[in-house]
Amino acid sequence: MVRNRNNNFESKFGKTPTDYYLEHFNKPTPPVPGSFLNDHWLSFSSSEQRLISYLNDSYPDWIHHITLRKNSLKERHPSTILQNYVVSTQCNFDTFMRFLLEDLSEEDEIETGLSALKKLNDLESVEDPDFTSLHVKGLRKGLDTVNELLNTNGMDRFEAASYFFTLAFHYLSEMGREAEKSNAMFEAFEQLGEFRGWCSNVQALESALKKHEDAKKAANVKAEKSFGAHKREVTRILEEEILPNPNSFKLKTATALHNVLGGRLDEFITANSLNESADSASMIKGWARGEGEFKELFDKALSACKGQYNN
């Protein structure tokens, strides 16, 4: 069975799996664009070049999620030196690496950065989001889940990878401590892998939320086409009958107003031979719970009716 799978691999790629990956790992990593990195590219080892290339690939995601988290109403973590720098300068990756390797090159600065990340990671963790129940929780809960995920320490793994790299490059290499340097580089790759996995989770959730929102908008457009006349009639009743004369509608609850409007809507549907709603009161309840002018009108009418009820 294993041999058969290898034959399939060879027929597709023209070589054995071992030869394929030996050739892949032997390929030099192309220089990452930018004047700073181009000037220093040959001073990096092959593993350092590969890590820098991977950091470059993930940098746009890191910037994107830093911005989202800083704008989040539920921000849990304080910002770090690197986060503050990239947000304030909106720098590209080449400038980021210059800042990392030149401006934060002192040992105490690296230790400060690693210490800050350690404190962030030692904070009480946020419960892992439940991606599978998005369809049950709905869009609002989904947005809360995005905020929760943005405030976990998954995003900080990118910074950890950056600091472990500069620690290996500046100190362990110069001190000839090859074993420690190898471990630091391994940790940098592992931290970056954690970040990439975290990004995949966030992007999957954001994609699901977008599909959910798009489907909701499409349903609203369809409903507006099918029941536009219904909504216009209920709006007319609120504006022309209930608001001018709330003392005739001494209603205490939203449910009572739903039912009154639902009854009037049923009469309108029958008189005009329109598309029937399975439950007119429930449909009006949905409109009143949404955002926009109808909700404002409904709430205003309900407040007026309650005022007459209490008098």
Side-chain angles (χ1 to χ4, degrees):
M1 181 65 70
V2 173
R3 184 60 190 170
N4 184 50
R5 288 200 298 267
N6 287 345
N7 287 337
N8 292 337
F9 189 97
E10 291 178 34
S11 65
K12 183 176 182 180
F13 296 102
K15 58 193 69 178
T16 66
T18 300
D19 289 339
Y20 175 86
Y21 283 107
L22 282 176
E23 182 179 313
H24 171 73
F25 292 135
N26 193 43
K27 289 180 179 178
T29 303
V32 173
S35 59
F36 174 78
L37 288 174
N38 278 330
D39 290 344
H40 294 79
W41 194 250
L42 295 181
S43 65
F44 300 124
S45 68
S46 59
S47 61
E48 290 167 347
Q49 290 175 352
R50 188 174 291 267
L51 178 63
I52 292 171
S53 180
Y54 289 165
L55 286 170
N56 178 56
D57 292 341
S58 298
Y59 185 73
D61 290 329
W62 184 55
I63 297 297
H64 171 70
H65 293 302
I66 285 176
T67 303
L68 288 181
R69 189 165 78 175
K70 287 186 73 67
N71 293 335
S72 170
L73 296 178
K74 296 185 176 182
E75 183 171 348
R76 187 174 73 101
H77 293 332
S79 295
T80 63
I81 296 173
L82 289 181
Q83 289 179 26
N84 282 327
Y85 176 75
V86 297
V87 169
S88 62
T89 64
Q90 294 295 302
C91 63
N92 60 21
F93 181 71
D94 186 67
T95 303
F96 166 76
M97 288 301 296
R98 181 193 299 274
F99 179 77
L100 181 69
L101 295 179
E102 290 188 347
D103 294 352
L104 292 182
S105 60
E106 298 298 327
E107 185 175 6
D108 59 336
E109 293 173 325
I110 297 173
E111 288 185 351
T112 298
L114 290 172
S115 176
L117 290 176
K118 182 69 167 60
K119 290 178 181 178
L120 294 182
N121 293 335
D122 286 344
L123 292 177
E124 183 179 355
S125 60
V126 177
E127 182 180 354
D128 289 338
D130 181 5
F131 300 108
T132 60
S133 60
L134 178 61
H135 63 288
V136 176
K137 295 178 179 178
L139 182 61
R140 185 176 299 279
K141 180 58 181 177
L143 292 173
D144 288 342
T145 305
V146 169
N147 284 332
E148 291 171 4
L149 191 57
L150 288 174
N151 285 300
T152 62
N153 58 26
M155 190 178 72
D156 302 317
R157 304 298 184 184
F158 182 95
E159 286 179 82
S162 301
Y163 276 119
F164 282 122
F165 164 66
T166 194
L167 179 66
F169 179 76
H170 271 301
Y171 289 98
L172 299 177
S173 179
E174 294 173 2
M175 296 169 66
R177 301 171 68 170
E178 291 301 321
E180 291 92 335
K181 177 186 175 183
S182 295
N183 287 337
M185 288 297 295
F186 177 84
E187 186 68 27
F189 277 105
E190 185 174 22
Q191 292 288 338
L192 187 56
E194 291 281 347
F195 173 75
R196 286 176 150 185
W198 175 85
C199 276
S200 294
N201 284 338
V202 175
Q203 289 164 359
L205 179 56
E206 288 176 333
S207 176
L209 285 172
K210 186 177 185 307
K211 290 180 180 178
H212 184 99
E213 188 172 12
D214 289 345
K216 185 177 179 180
K217 289 179 179 178
N220 289 339
V221 170
K222 183 178 180 181
E224 184 64 27
K225 290 181 179 178
S226 299
F227 300 104
H230 304 58
K231 193 171 186 179
R232 286 192 293 272
E233 174 61 13
V234 175
T235 299
R236 186 197 66 77
I237 295 171
L238 288 170
E239 290 178 336
E240 299 180 8
E241 298 184 22
I242 295 181
L243 275 175
N245 192 24
N247 61 316
S248 298
F249 300 88
K250 295 183 179 181
L251 305 173
K252 186 178 181 181
T253 65
T255 299
L257 184 52
H258 295 152
N259 292 334
V260 169
L261 292 171
R264 291 289 304 276
L265 181 57
D266 287 337
E267 295 173 2
F268 176 78
I269 290 171
T270 301
N272 292 275
S273 301
L274 298 175
N275 293 333
E276 292 188 15
S277 168
D279 187 339
S280 295
S282 294
M283 183 168 65
I284 294 168
K285 180 180 179 181
W287 296 339
R289 284 185 169 181
E291 299 294 334
E293 295 179 0
F294 186 88
K295 174 179 172 55
E296 294 178 4
L297 178 62
F298 181 91
D299 290 345
K300 185 177 180 181
L302 178 60
S303 178
C305 292
K306 284 182 176 178
Q308 293 299 321
Y309 182 91
N310 294 327
N311 289 337

